[in-house]
Amino acid sequence: MKKRFALLCITLLCVSVVSAHTVQTHTFAVRDTQQLAMDIYLPAQPLPQQYCIVYMYGGGFMSGARTETEVVTYARKMCSRGYTVAAIDYRLGMKGVTNIGASTIKIMKNAIDMAVEDCVSAVN
């Protein structure tokens, strides 16, 4: 009987964690013919202060996506703690660049500028 009760409790806990949030996808900008979107993770029980985390994935402006496993896992974890999370797209200005060094400083600056512009658009 104790084993069944424990199994039932674990099952209910797993179901409540899985269904603890909803995800909405919204397009926030179109830049250089690229559609930029964000996945908004809304908690079932938000914090009273209604905090929102804007998550920009890493990848050196060369790779990455808002849908990567690490991003989704982090967003879900923070959402289960009551935070709203917006995982956003941004343009990868260094995509395809192979020789990184002093000769690519201008390209790096441009990549950073584009990412900042995209982040500001997402927040707006």
Side-chain angles (χ1 to χ4, degrees):
M1 185 66 159
K2 288 182 182 180
K3 288 182 182 179
R4 284 188 206 162
F5 180 73
L7 183 60
L8 177 63
C9 288
I10 291 170
T11 303
L12 289 174
L13 179 63
C14 290
V15 168
S16 68
V17 168
V18 169
S19 62
H21 68 277
T22 58
V23 181
Q24 300 174 353
T25 302
H26 298 278
T27 299
F28 64 86
V30 177
R31 301 271 193 272
D32 303 328
T33 70
Q34 183 178 352
Q35 187 172 326
L36 301 175
M38 66 173 76
D39 292 333
I40 302 174
Y41 295 78
L42 299 166
Q45 297 179 353
L47 296 171
Q49 300 85 359
Q50 297 185 5
Y51 294 111
C52 180
I53 299 168
V54 178
Y55 189 96
M56 293 180 73
Y57 53 85
F61 308 104
M62 302 170 108
S63 64
R66 73 178 194 287
T67 56
E68 288 182 339
T69 302
E70 295 83 12
V71 177
V72 173
T73 300
Y74 175 81
R76 286 181 177 167
K77 184 171 203 147
M78 296 310 290
C79 196
S80 72
R81 295 179 180 180
Y83 294 92
T84 298
V85 180
I88 69 168
D89 283 335
Y90 60 93
R91 292 170 287 168
L92 302 174
M94 296 288 291
K95 191 172 188 172
V97 176
T98 54
N99 296 326
I100 299 174
S103 63
T104 58
I105 289 176
K106 198 171 191 178
I107 297 169
M108 284 187 235
K109 182 187 178 317
N110 186 51
I112 293 167
D113 290 344
M114 289 189 320
V116 169
E117 180 183 343
D118 296 343
C119 183
V120 170
S121 292
V123 171
N124 285 334

